[in-house]
């Protein structure tokens, strides 16, 4: 059975996420589109920006075009509609606007190349997918054309295909290490205590850092605290810090953590600068809670250092990586042996399919 057929049996929406420019994301997209055609899968295509250009607008390097087959449903902005080499029929005009005009939902009537685009916000991408499913597609592929972190959000899709390759480094071991690091982050454990999830989700729209402490019956409640009791009778107090983000506020978080603190919820970016201001001795008794793994900005070296010190992290929703594609060629002119890259990558992430789509 082909890779895409297996994935289509399990997922309805799949995002393709590039770890860097020229990691082979568009090549992977074209590979999957061709597989869908061969397997008779009715495909929908959208994006988190613009794609399908012949030249990368950032690096000015030549890039593959996006070729779509008949009956594919695709989102195309008004200014790019006339530039499509494929024959397109407009099915509907959506409420989403881009810098290239409003988005049309189109059906490919004659196969050919198309410059695709879609909403930038993850929530809008989800709503766009619901509209595309209304036209009878089996599977939607979401191309991350601009913001790789955004398209990886679990709000956007059921799973992601991660595209990586030689462009990350001349050192094959570093390419493998950084890719495995991202897979590990995306697969972080979810917070499974339903009452604690409720406590956090009730306050999530306030975008505040929450200090959650275990309370005994003798503890006095502070004015800034909200006390909740979970199913086993344990009481937790919730203190919201007067900070909108964790950036630059590590020392305030450090001051708020005491012996009773069990969880710290951080709504925004979780960075090395935050961790640097927190006493490592406090890590072992505390778990940091994030909305999803895209909030983490740490390289593999710092991440391993923090784990050795006992730092624990859970997320409200993790990200399912269903496959990894590798591009052994770099636009700078160097390359890796494809078989060696695939083998080392498979050894690092043995439970995930690894393929070189060019090969």
């Amino acid at each position: 059975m082909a890779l895409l057929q297996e994935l289509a049996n399990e997922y309805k929406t799949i995002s393709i996420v590039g770890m860097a420019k020229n990691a082979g994301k568009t090549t992977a997209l074209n590979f999957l589109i061709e597989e869908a055609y061969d397997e008779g899968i009715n495909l929908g295509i959208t994006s988190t920006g613009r794609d399908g250009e012949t030249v990368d607008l950032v690096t000015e390097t030549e890039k593959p075009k996006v070729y779509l087959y008949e009956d594919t449903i695709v989102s195309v902005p008004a200014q790019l509609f006339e530039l499509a080499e494929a024959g397109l029929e407009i099915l509907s005009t959506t409420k989403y606007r881009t810098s290239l005009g409003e988005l049309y939902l189109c059906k490919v009537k004659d196969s050919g190349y198309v410059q695709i685009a879609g909403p930038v916000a993850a929530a809008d991408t989800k709503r766009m997918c619901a509209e595309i499913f209304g036209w009878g597609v089996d599977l939607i592929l979401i191309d991350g054309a601009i913001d790789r972190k955004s398209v990886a959000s679990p709000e956007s899709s059921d799973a992601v295909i991660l595209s990586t390759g030689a462009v990350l480094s001349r050192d094959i071991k570093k390419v493998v290490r950084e890719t495995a690091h991202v897979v590990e982050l995306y697969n972080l454990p979810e917070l499974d205590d339903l009452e604690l999830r409720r406590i956090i989700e009730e306050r999530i729209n306030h975008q505040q850092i929450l200090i959650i402490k275990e309370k005994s019956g003798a503890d006095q409640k502070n004015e800034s605290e909200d006390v909740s009791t979970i199913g086993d009778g344990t009481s937790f107090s919730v203190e919201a810090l007067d900070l909108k983000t964790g950036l630059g506020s590590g020392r305030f978080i450090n001051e708020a953590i005491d012996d009773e603190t069990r969880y710290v919820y951080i709504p925004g970016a979780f960075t090395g600068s935050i961790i640097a201001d927190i006493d490592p001795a406090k890590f072992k008794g505390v778990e940091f809670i994030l909305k999803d793994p895209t909030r983490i900005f740490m390289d593999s070296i710092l991440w391993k250092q923090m784990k050795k010190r006992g730092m624990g992290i859970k997320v409200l929703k993790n990200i399912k990586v269903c496959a990894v594609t590798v591009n052994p060629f770099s636009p700078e002119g160097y390359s890796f042996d494809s078989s060696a890259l695939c083998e080392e990558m498979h050894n690092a992430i043995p439970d995930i399919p690894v393929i070189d789509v060019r090969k």
Side-chain angles (χ1 to χ4, degrees), residues 64-119:
K65 297 179 180 180
V66 177
Y67 189 91
L68 300 182
Y69 294 93
E70 291 181 12
D71 297 329
T72 303
I73 306 299
V74 59
S75 60
V76 181
Q79 291 184 31
L80 299 182
F81 179 80
E82 296 296 336
L83 299 180
E85 296 177 33
L88 299 177
E89 174 191 356
I90 297 177
L91 300 176
S92 67
T93 301
T94 74
K95 63 180 179 181
Y96 310 108
R97 293 195 60 83
T98 71
S99 60
L100 297 169
E102 60 188 350
L103 285 173
Y104 300 146
L105 273 188
C106 302
K107 184 174 185 177
V108 179
K109 303 299 289 185
D110 295 300
S111 302
Y113 293 104
V114 180
Q115 295 189 44
I116 61 176

